[in-house]
Structure formats: C-alpha cells, structure tokens
C-alpha cells in the first residue's frame, strides 16, 4: 500500500471515528453529569475572570465539590466555551476531539513499534469503532484526554531513539498526561522507566537526549511535586 493510500485510509478512519464520537453527543449521554457541570463552570469562570469559582487565579488544581480536579481538561474547555458558548457541546467538544485524534496517533505509535503498516491500520480501525473509547469520548472525560497524550508521548519517545529533536515533544506529552488524570501520576513514571529498560542499548548512545528528557520532565512536574508536598500539608492543617 502506497503512502498516499495509507494517509487516505487514516483520514477515512478518523472521519468515521469522529462521527461516532461527535454525532448527537449533546443528547447521548442525555445530560451533563456532575463532573461535566463542574468542568464547564470552572472553565467559564477562568474565561470570564481568570479565576476559578473559589477566587484562585489560574490554579493548577481545581477545588470542587467533594474532590480536586486536574487542570488540563478544564483549561482546554476555555477556548471551546469562548467559541461555542457555555453549553453541552462546548463542554464535550475537546474530549470528542482528543478521542478522534487518538485514532491517528495510535496508528503512528503502532507503526513505530511494529514497522508493519497493516497491523497499524487494523489497530487504528479497531480503536475507531471501539465501544469503550467511543462511549468515554462522548462526554467530558479526563482519562480519554490523558490516553491521547500518553500515546503521543510514547510515539515521540520512539522517534527520539532516532533523533534528539523529538525529546522535547515526548517529555511534554508525557507530563501533560499527568495533568489530566490522577492515576497517570503513578502510571506514566512507571511507563517511562519500562521504556528506558527496553531501549537501554539505544539510549546509551544518546546520553544528551536522556539528560534533556529527564530535565524537561523534572521542570514540568515541579508544580505537581509542590502540590503533593504543600497541598497535602495544607489539607491536613485545614482538617
């Protein structure tokens, strides 16, 4: 299969996947759940005032009713709400978009891992019609967005093995995923560690890339480290 045919097939799969994730998603699921309402209101407050509903300026963690929400999904809703207004579609737009783009990203990742175009195309096709992925892409879902960034982080890591220019993108994608969903803060470091073990022979020849990758990750993760130390202390103090 030629390069142009592969691109055409991926475009078709992405369009089909996008249709399944966007079509009538304001009515199915039939209403915003409590988390979606919280996401939308927080994003709307940031859009209008630059502060969350508790008056905190551009927070990196959003205090909600009964829990704390990660920032990336909420901030991604700000331009969506600015364009489409505060409604069901704008609140669900960025998750549906991330779910749709994951199809193409997954193709690239599988291709980089297997070097087999057919396997990569089949993988993308299965994701495009995956009932689980379609369902969670149809409402504001931080773990769908987290999966999108993890897949990109893995793909750029594979590219990093062949050239240093991908180091920044890989590190940024991995760390962005940690700002989407709580479990990613444990899973992503473990995944990176496994990647380092698997590719240790190739990475030995790219020590500068390793140092740069780790440095970027540490800088970007500093706010989470700060929250883990001082946020926990403040929570205990307020109890």
């Amino acid at each position: 299969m030629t390069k142009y045919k592969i691109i055409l097939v991926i475009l078709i799969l992405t369009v089909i996947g996008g249709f399944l994730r966007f079509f009538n998603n304001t009515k199915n699921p039939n209403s915003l759940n409590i988390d979606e309402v919280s996401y939308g209101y927080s994003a709307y407050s940031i859009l209008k005032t630059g502060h969350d509903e508790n008056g905190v300026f551009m927070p990196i963690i959003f205090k909600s009713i009964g829990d704390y929400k990660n920032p990336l999904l909420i901030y991604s809703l700000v331009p969506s709400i600015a364009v489409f207004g505060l409604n069901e579609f704008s609140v669900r737009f960025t998750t549906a978009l991330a779910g749709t783009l994951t199809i193409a990203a997954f193709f690239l990742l599988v291709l980089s891992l297997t070097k087999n175009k057919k396997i990569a195309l089949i993988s993308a096709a299965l994701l495009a019609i995956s009932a689980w992925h379609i369902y969670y892409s149809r409402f504001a879902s931080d773990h769908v967005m987290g999966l999108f960034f993890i897949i990109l982080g893995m793909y750029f890591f594979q590219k990093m093995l062949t050239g240093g220019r991908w180091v920044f993108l890989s590190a940024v994608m991995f760390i962005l995923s940690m700002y989407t969903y709580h479990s990613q803060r444990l899973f992503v470091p473990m995944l990176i560690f496994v990647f380092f073990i698997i590719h240790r022979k190739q990475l030995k020849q790219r020590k500068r890339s390793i140092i740069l990758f780790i440095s970027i990750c540490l800088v970007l993760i500093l706010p989470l480290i700060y929250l883990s130390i001082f946020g926990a202390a403040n929570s205990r103090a307020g109890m």
Side-chain angles (χ1 to χ4, degrees), residues 2-213:
T2 65
K3 177 181 178 180
Y4 296 105
K5 286 184 179 180
I6 291 174
I7 293 174
L8 178 61
V9 172
I10 289 300
L11 285 175
I12 292 173
L13 290 175
T14 303
V15 170
I16 292 172
F19 176 79
L20 294 173
R21 287 156 179 77
F22 274 101
F23 178 71
N24 212 26
N25 71 345
T26 59
K27 297 181 180 179
N28 184 16
N30 60 7
S31 66
L32 297 180
N33 60 43
I34 189 170
D35 284 330
E36 290 179 292
V37 172
S38 179
Y39 291 139
Y41 184 71
S42 295
Y44 183 73
S45 181
I46 291 292
L47 174 65
K48 292 299 182 179
T49 68
H51 299 73
D52 69 0
E53 61 266 37
N54 297 300
V56 180
F57 178 73
M58 302 295 286
I60 56 175
I61 198 74
F62 286 79
K63 186 177 181 181
S64 183
I65 300 174
D67 68 354
Y68 292 85
K69 289 182 168 55
N70 286 295
L72 193 58
L73 176 57
I74 293 173
Y75 282 115
S76 76
L77 294 179
V78 173
S80 174
I81 292 173
V83 173
F84 301 112
L86 184 60
N87 52 55
E88 290 91 341
F89 181 77
S90 65
V91 172
R92 291 176 171 174
F93 176 80
T94 54
T95 301
L97 180 62
T100 301
L101 295 177
T102 301
I103 298 167
F106 192 53
F107 166 80
L108 293 173
L109 173 61
V110 175
L111 181 62
S112 69
L113 291 171
T114 66
K115 313 300 180 185
N116 189 308
K117 296 175 183 177
K118 289 184 179 179
I119 292 177
L121 286 172
I122 291 172
S123 300
L126 291 174
L127 181 62
I129 60 173
S130 167
W132 171 87
H133 198 260
I134 291 170
Y135 174 75
Y136 284 103
S137 296
R138 290 179 62 84
F139 62 88
S141 171
D142 43 10
H143 45 282
V144 167
M145 187 164 288
L147 176 64
F148 172 64
F149 286 113
I150 285 177
I151 288 175
L152 285 179
M154 293 171 67
Y155 169 68
F156 288 126
F157 192 96
Q158 289 294 123
K159 298 288 289 183
M160 184 183 79
L161 299 176
T162 61
R165 64 183 181 218
W166 304 101
V167 173
F168 179 79
L169 285 173
S170 178
V172 169
M173 294 300 111
F174 274 130
I175 300 305
L176 281 178
S177 72
M178 297 176 70
Y179 285 90
T180 60
Y181 197 56
H182 296 291
S183 63
Q184 318 293 47
R185 299 178 187 179
L186 175 63
F187 174 74
V188 170
M190 293 173 61
L191 178 64
I192 293 173
F193 177 75
V194 170
F195 264 48
F196 269 68
I197 296 298
I198 293 173
H199 299 291
R200 59 187 180 277
K201 292 182 179 179
Q202 293 165 279
L203 291 172
K204 282 182 180 179
Q205 303 171 3
R206 300 192 173 276
K207 293 183 180 179
R208 290 182 60 185
S209 295
I210 295 175
I211 294 172
L212 182 58
F213 178 87

